[in-house]
Amino acid sequence: MTASSTKRESFDVRILRQAAPGEPSRWETFRIPYEPNLNVISVLQKIAAMARNAEGKETTPVAWDCNCLEEVCGACTMVINGRVRQSCSALVDRLLEEHEGEIELQPMTKFPVVRDLVVDRSRMFRALEKVKAWVPVDDYYDRGAGPRESQESQEERYPLSECMTCGCCVDACPQYSKVEVERRPNESIEEHQARQAEAEKSEFLGAAPISQAMLFNRHATGAMLADDRLNALSGPGGIQVCGNAQNCVAVCPKEIPLTTSIARAGRQTTVHAIKKIFDR
Amino acid sequence: MAGTEPSFFVRHEFLIRRLHSLTGIIFGGYVCVHLFVNASIVGGAQAFQKNVLAIHSMGGILPLVEWVFIFLPILFHMFVGIGITVGMIPNNKNYPYEANWRYTLQRATGLYLFLFILWHVFQTHGWFHFDWWLNVAERWGGAQFSPYNAASSIGLIMQNMLVSLLYALGVLAAAFHLFNGVWTAGITWGIWTRPHAQANALKVCLAASVLLGAVGLSAIWGARKIGSSEESIKQAEAIENEMYTVQVEAGLIPPTEHKRAHHADSDETPELTATPASDENPTHPSDED
Ligand code: SF4
Ligand code: SF4
Ligand code: FES
């Protein structure tokens, strides 16, 4: 441990809190006794155990989400010290080096807040549906061996397949804007979700779904749906919205070559659009 | 689903954005020619006037060339560009990456160029060439550039330090915007896809923008040199008038008075000027001369 951290007794955590969707948000600070090798999830566990803020006042426990605790599920994604990332792999000692004495936690900025640090990322999954990010085999018939896959294609696809739909890429994207439809009184969850889906229908897909479309277009069986994917990618909210800021590739925790996928999608949609003109 | 139809822009956004990219490249080609021609002013009034006369010797098809390669592309590019810029959410503070700065700078230079180009075209050409309008435009500081007195009239414009600085900013913004735009167009159209290809393309594009910026700045410097004294402006004007007479007599260009400079108080061009003093405006009692 570094010399400065051995001297440290405590540090502050400033959290942007929100009781429920549509409610106003407010900052609350918590003081945590320092110990080495904490991560943000363990800090949040300590806060839940204290249920007291830095002024010593009692408060409701902070809500957060997590699952795998090893940066493969994406559930714990939040904005930490201004940058979106996974809280399970965000180490307190590193964060205090970034910003002395205080850590700042906020929910992701592009998704509706459910409570405190918990957000609803279902727009990511709806976007995957739009680009049909799957291999179209959904029956149990024995169709014999599939097409052969080259080693090269497999090596290109593997990194893309690591995407965990965490949403970091879209949260950092200057072209991706938040869409939030408030739930009406007496509205069912399904009705509300349908209205939310309608509202984001022509909004930007974001880097992850574009990359997933490229993953499945590269797959010999997946390519059966290539045209559908390219129609989605050149439709409303498609590839054209990208402004090439390349933040997505800089923040992706899986280091997925998103801008390569984006350029590939650009190439495939170019060819697809020209073909469509002549196929009329 | 009783949903609302997305707007025309959203429904055709793919096509519109690709046209935006294409028009940017076409207009960019013109900007390169424009700045290289302008930079010939460094070689003196004669060199510059020769190039301008060559352009104007296209005569009747010049307006067609201008509309197809200059006006229509840039108008489309400018107005769609404003539409694109409106939707952005810059986040350079939290994500201070180099590419993200270029993203924001691309839009900032775009907005500056929007205003700059409108002003620049007004100041030099006055936007429209109806006589009644040109009189109005001149009163407002427009239509100051005379193609057949190219170096002397731009020299006069550039005498103003603030104007020169705004032009310098315009030239640098254009050089960056154009070649950073070429780089993003390479991604948009899928020409460079892999990271190292994108990195190499970026180096080439940034080098090209530095070069074009330098060419543009040298044009401003050359114009300021011509405008630096009454003496050099008069000299330039004399050269230009002679070239004009020779070309008209040789039948290379039609005589076109509105493309020439007219000064009420000038003793340089009286015998060639059709309407002496008529366009100087006498309604300003406060004019001190
Ligand atoms: S591409 Fe990367 S940042 Fe985006 S959702 Fe997938 S893993 Fe997360
Ligand atoms: S490259 Fe495109 S998708 Fe990625 S952050 Fe930039 S604008 Fe968003
Ligand atoms: S808990 Fe799964 S990524 Fe953090």
Side-chain angles (χ1 to χ4, degrees), chain A residues 173-175 204 207 242-248 262:
Chain A
C173 172
Q175 293 287 104
F204 189 27
C242 169
N244 296 302
Q246 305 209 329
N247 283 355
C248 49
I262 288 169

Side-chain angles (χ1 to χ4, degrees), chain A residues 266-279:
Chain A
R267 181 182 288 181
Q268 290 184 17
T269 49
T270 303
V271 174
H272 181 68
I274 294 171
K275 267 199 213 151
K276 272 205 336 201
I277 296 174
F278 291 104
D279 278 358

Side-chain angles (χ1 to χ4, degrees), chain B residues 213-234:
Chain B
V215 167
L217 288 183
S218 69
I220 295 171
W221 179 79
R224 279 183 67 83
K225 211 175 79 179
I226 295 216
S228 62
S229 69
E230 281 305 306
E231 195 51 37
S232 69
I233 289 186
K234 289 224 168 104

Side-chain angles (χ1 to χ4, degrees), chain A residues 41 65-77 86-89 164 166:
Chain A
I41 293 289
D65 220 346
C66 72
N67 201 338
C68 67
L69 297 180
E70 52 178 356
E71 205 182 81
V72 291
C73 75
C76 67
T77 308
Q86 277 68 50
S87 49
C88 66
S89 53
M164 54 183 173
C166 65

Side-chain angles (χ1 to χ4, degrees), chain A residues 9-259:
Chain A
E9 296 206 325
S10 70
F11 60 94
D12 283 357
V13 183
R14 223 160 73 87
I15 302 180
L16 189 63
R17 308 204 52 182
Q18 184 176 332
E23 296 285 314
S25 56
R26 66 189 167 89
W27 289 98
E28 188 159 40
T29 306
F30 297 86
R31 186 149 301 146
I32 313 293
Y34 176 80
E35 54 186 271
N37 300 332
L38 289 171
N39 65 15
V40 169
I41 293 289
S42 50
V43 166
L44 286 165
Q45 286 169 332
K46 283 178 187 292
I47 290 173
M50 300 188 314
R52 225 172 253 287
N53 64 21
E55 292 153 24
K57 282 212 200 86
E58 275 201 23
T59 184
T60 51
V62 176
W64 82 94
D65 220 346
C66 72
N67 201 338
C68 67
L69 297 180
E70 52 178 356
E71 205 182 81
V72 291
C73 75
C76 67
T77 308
M78 57 183 74
V79 176
I80 303 172
N81 283 356
R83 213 192 87 207
V84 67
R85 49 188 134 179
Q86 277 68 50
S87 49
C88 66
S89 53
L91 304 177
V92 167
D93 293 320
R94 294 294 92 73
L95 294 172
L96 292 176
E97 279 166 21
E98 257 175 45
H99 188 277
E100 183 52 38
E102 188 182 83
I103 295 173
E104 187 193 274
L105 305 180
Q106 282 178 72
M108 294 177 83
T109 57
K110 304 291 172 73
F111 298 109
V113 173
V114 177
R115 183 182 168 92
D116 294 337
L117 301 169
V118 181
V119 296
D120 177 1
R121 288 179 297 135
S122 38
R123 177 171 164 194
M124 291 289 290
F125 301 97
R126 280 191 287 265
L128 290 176
E129 286 174 25
K130 282 191 210 163
V131 299
K132 305 201 174 165
W134 54 73
V135 170
V137 266
D138 56 359
D139 58 44
Y140 294 94
Y141 294 111
D142 181 2
R143 295 180 185 280
R148 297 190 62 154
E149 295 287 345
S150 71
Q151 182 71 19
E152 189 212 350
S153 153
Q154 186 276 333
E155 279 170 12
E156 288 232 330
R157 289 200 319 266
Y158 183 73
L160 307 193
S161 74
E162 286 181 286
C163 174
M164 54 183 173
T165 326
C166 65
C168 283
C169 52
V170 303
D171 212 69
C173 172
Q175 293 287 104
Y176 194 94
S177 45
K178 180 173 181 169
V179 176
E180 181 167 14
V181 170
E182 243 179 80
R183 191 165 159 195
R184 293 176 183 142
N186 304 325
E187 190 176 39
S188 76
I189 290 179
E190 289 75 18
E191 285 163 345
H192 175 237
Q193 287 282 314
R195 280 200 306 123
Q196 172 77 29
E198 181 64 26
E200 66 201 30
K201 201 174 65 181
S202 38
E203 296 289 322
F204 189 27
L205 292 166
I210 294 171
S211 185
Q212 291 304 295
M214 290 302 102
L215 165 64
F216 290 102
N217 275 9
R218 190 84 161 97
H219 185 280
T221 313
M224 290 159 120
L225 297 178
D227 283 353
D228 291 357
R229 296 196 190 98
L230 296 176
N231 281 336
L233 287 184
S234 48
I239 181 81
Q240 68 277 3
V241 184
C242 169
N244 296 302
Q246 305 209 329
N247 283 355
C248 49
V249 77
V251 297
C252 174
K254 294 296 174 187
E255 296 177 16
I256 296 172
L258 293 168
T259 44

